[in-house]
């Protein structure tokens, strides 16, 4: 059985020591739904036994019936939302994973991706391990089970010392909840408090919803053990390295109301827009955003440039992210389902359109066409990040390198493909300077191709001419 491709976007949430643990976890997952829309699950503990409910589907659908919570008793719970590529989109891969082993029961929820998963899996199978899922997360469980150390904390450390890549993990046993953030700190993870209960969440927006107080971020390489007695212990059991948090969380992935890596995402995105205005001075009548992710940057652009911001594209909020549709044909259609132009705003105008990123180019191409069809005189597409030329191996769902348009096309070629009058990307210096979190050395692998944790398989080479069939100017 092959492991799923390293493409997962996830959110995790856990609460320890609260009578409404499963209900609050449901709310936490609701707030983290943007991090994964394919499946979700909750495991709770009543102090003696673990209970699970997990399914394919959105949080509101999977947990839409109050009866479910009667089957999730106890004062501790962890939960997970997940999105993965089509191949691994199956019930058995829904998290948290829960197992019984020689020491009792344990559940784990994982956000991120391991880069040495195939190697470890082959090794474990050679020693007789039988895998139930195709997720790399299961490897952690197997490593735990075969660890030679005694205490659970030591076993987790022993297991994690063997894995490489990105992980924010939540473990739940009958009596404890344990959170771990990898030494690179790729993905965000924060600690909160609700009364006397400890809360752990991928993003602070989940704490806000349940009115928990934000305590601090879990540090890169930190393990937080929430004990039976209700205390927490902080450990740093791994070799210290320079952290490399993911800059794309700021660009696109995290929710704007969250605070990650010490900064509010909305303010960071707005600054990206301001910087974009400094880098591209365009004669324009109006600035619009590709909603929702382009909105803060468009507002920043408008503030800095003096060009007025308008809502030129209206989004239907009841449609999922176009990006997650599996077939290209659906994605093409999807942009129209999701967005509609406001003609009054666009007619006879020179329009600056701001989006956060271009992946395959499909969305931008449709949007330029849409804005032009609504009567715009000129369409200037500005992107609040550098070209996304390399796949992510650490937990952001980006396609293969060959599907990333900027891996094989120049900016001018992409401009012609999307049929814009101007196409401008934010510079790498502009991106890093605008985010400006101290001297943080962000992971910029998707832009720069430098991978902070080496992966065993070389990235696929770009295939030139991928878009040739469609590559006609102004069609
Ligand atoms: P594309 O049509 O493939 O160029 O996709 C571009 C759109 O996808 C942009 O509007 C981005 O906001 C969005 N996007 C970028 N990265 C991701 C991602 N990892 N998951 C989902 N959507 C994304």
């Amino acid at each position: 059985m092959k492991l799923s491709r390293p493409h997962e976007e996830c959110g995790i949430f856990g609460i320890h020591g609260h009578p409404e643990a499963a209900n609050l976890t449901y709310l936490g997952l609701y707030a983290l739904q943007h991090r994964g829309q394919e499946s979700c699950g909750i495991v709770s503990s009543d102090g003696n036994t673990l209970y699970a409910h997990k399914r394919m589907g959105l949080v509101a659908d999977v947990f839409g019936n109050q009866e479910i919570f009667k089957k999730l008793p106890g004062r501790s719970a962890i939960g997970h939302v997940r999105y993965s590529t089509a191949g691994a989109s199956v019930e058995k891969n829904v998290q948290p994973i829960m197992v019984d082993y020689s020491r009792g029961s344990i559940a784990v929820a994982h956000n991120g991706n391991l880069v040495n998963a195939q190697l470890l899996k082959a090794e474990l199978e050679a020693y007789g391990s039988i895998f139930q899922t195709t997720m790399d997360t299961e490897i952690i469980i197997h490593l735990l089970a075969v660890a030679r150390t005694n205490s659970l904390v030591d076993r987790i450390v022993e297991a994690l010392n063997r894995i490489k890549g990105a992980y924010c993990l939540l473990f739940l046993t009958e009596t404890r909840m344990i959170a771990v953030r990898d030494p690179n700190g790729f993905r965000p993870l924060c600690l909160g408090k609700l009364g006397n209960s400890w809360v752990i969440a991928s993003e602070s927006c989940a704490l806000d919803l349940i009115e928990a107080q934000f305590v601090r971020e879990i540090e890169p390489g930190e393990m937080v053990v929430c004990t039976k007695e209700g205390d927490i212990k902080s450990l740093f059991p791994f070799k210290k390295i320079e952290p490399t948090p993911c800059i794309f969380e700021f660009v696109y992935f995290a929710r704007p109301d969250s605070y990650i890596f010490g900064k509010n995402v909305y303010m960071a995105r707005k600054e990206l827009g301001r910087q974009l205005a400094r880098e591209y001075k365009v004669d324009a009548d109006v600035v619009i955003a590709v909603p929702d992710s382009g909105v803060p940057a468009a507002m920043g652009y408008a503030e800095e440039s003096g060009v007025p911001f308008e809502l030129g594209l209206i989004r239907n909020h009841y449609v999922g992210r176009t990006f997650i549709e599996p077939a290209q044909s659906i994605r093409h259609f999807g942009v129209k389902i999701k967005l509609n132009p406001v003609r009054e705003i666009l007619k006879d105008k020179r329009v600056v359109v701001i989006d956060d990123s271009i992946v395959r180019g499909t969305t931008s191409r449709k949007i330029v066409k849409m804005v032009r069809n609504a009567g715009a005189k000129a369409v200037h597409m500005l992107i609040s990040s550098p070209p996304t030329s390399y796949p992510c191996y650490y937990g952001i769902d980006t396609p293969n390198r060959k599907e990333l348009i900027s891996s094989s096309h120049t900016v001018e070629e992409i401009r012609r493909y999307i049929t814009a009058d101007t196409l401008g990307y934010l510079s790498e210096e502009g991106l890093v300077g605008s985010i400006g979190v101290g001297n943080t050395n962000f992971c910029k692998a998707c832009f720069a191709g430098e991978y902070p944790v080496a992966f065993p398989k070389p990235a696929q080479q770009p295939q030139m001419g991928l878009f040739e069939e469609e590559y006609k100017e102004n069609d």
Side-chain angles (χ1 to χ4, degrees), residues 9 248 252-253 290 293 321-324 331 355-364 396-398:
E9 299 177 332
F248 202 71
Y252 170 79
F253 201 40
V290 179
S293 48
R321 287 181 175 185
T322 58
F323 194 83
I324 69 172
R331 193 161 42 244
D355 201 357
D356 60 273
S357 56
I358 294 180
V359 181
R360 299 176 175 87
T362 321
T363 308
S364 309
I396 294 280
D397 176 48
T398 41

Side-chain angles (χ1 to χ4, degrees), residues 100-389:
D100 293 321
Y101 74 124
S102 57
R103 312 286 176 112
S105 302
I106 192 162
V108 61
H110 172 204
N111 172 207
N113 265 104
L114 311 184
V115 296
N116 62 340
Q118 298 284 3
L119 290 173
L120 287 172
K121 188 173 185 231
E123 189 186 316
L124 285 160
E125 281 179 331
Y127 282 99
S129 287
I130 297 169
F131 281 78
Q132 312 258 326
T133 75
T134 59
M135 285 181 295
D136 53 5
T137 311
E138 196 185 343
I139 289 167
I140 299 169
I141 297 274
H142 284 267
L143 289 172
L144 253 177
V146 299
R148 297 203 187 121
T149 35
N150 227 336
S151 75
L152 177 66
V153 166
D154 289 345
R155 283 172 166 257
I156 292 176
V157 174
E158 193 181 323
L160 298 187
N161 268 326
R162 300 228 37 216
I163 66 175
K164 292 195 172 76
Y167 55 86
C168 278
L169 292 161
L170 267 178
F171 295 92
L172 185 71
T173 68
E174 291 86 346
T175 53
R176 279 184 287 181
M177 179 171 83
I178 300 174
V180 195
R181 186 164 169 217
D182 69 65
N184 288 81
F186 281 109
R187 304 278 142 239
L189 194 65
C190 63
L191 176 70
K193 200 142 198 223
L194 180 65
N196 291 325
S197 328
W198 293 104
V199 187
I200 309 268
S202 291
E203 288 183 39
S204 63
C205 63
L207 303 182
D208 296 341
L209 178 58
I210 63 159
E211 295 182 343
Q213 174 205 340
F214 175 87
V215 176
R216 62 177 177 85
E217 290 188 40
I218 309 268
E219 299 288 318
E222 183 179 3
M223 178 185 244
V224 172
V225 183
C226 303
T227 67
K228 193 176 173 182
E229 293 71 36
D231 308 322
I232 55 165
K233 282 188 193 134
S234 162
L235 312 166
F236 287 87
F238 309 109
K239 202 174 138 213
K240 215 172 161 50
I241 55 168
E242 190 185 359
T244 55
C246 165
I247 206 158
F248 202 71
E249 291 272 354
F250 277 118
V251 170
Y252 170 79
F253 201 40
R255 243 171 68 160
D257 48 337
S258 287
Y259 286 76
I260 58 165
F261 314 142
K263 190 155 186 160
N264 169 241
V265 176
Y266 181 91
M267 296 313 277
R269 285 189 192 154
K270 215 167 164 194
E271 191 51 37
L272 296 181
R274 285 199 195 98
Q275 180 61 21
L276 204 50
R278 285 175 214 123
E279 294 186 16
Y280 296 94
K281 296 200 181 359
V282 181
D283 288 329
D285 306 305
V286 65
V287 181
I288 67 165
V290 179
D292 291 329
S293 48
V295 172
M299 292 175 83
Y301 185 95
E303 260 182 35
E304 183 71 25
S305 65
V307 181
F309 170 78
E310 295 283 0
L311 297 177
L313 294 168
I314 302 300
R315 179 172 167 187
N316 178 340
H317 282 270
Y318 304 95
V319 183
R321 287 181 175 185
T322 58
F323 194 83
I324 69 172
E325 303 292 356
Q328 190 78 356
S329 55
I330 299 175
R331 193 161 42 244
H332 273 262
F333 190 40
V335 177
K336 269 194 205 145
I337 296 177
K338 192 167 131 181
L339 298 173
N340 200 30
V342 182
R343 287 176 175 275
E344 219 56 37
I345 299 292
L346 305 172
K347 196 167 176 310
D348 298 326
K349 301 277 174 52
R350 296 165 300 170
V351 182
V352 170
V353 184
I354 310 268
D355 201 357
D356 60 273
S357 56
I358 294 180
V359 181
R360 299 176 175 87
T362 321
T363 308
S364 309
R365 186 175 155 100
K366 291 284 163 195
I367 280 166
V368 172
K369 202 168 174 181
M370 193 179 265
V371 172
R372 243 190 250 289
N373 286 346
K377 271 198 308 206
V379 186
H380 306 291
M381 189 86 194
L382 298 180
I383 305 297
S384 60
S385 64
T388 310
S389 305

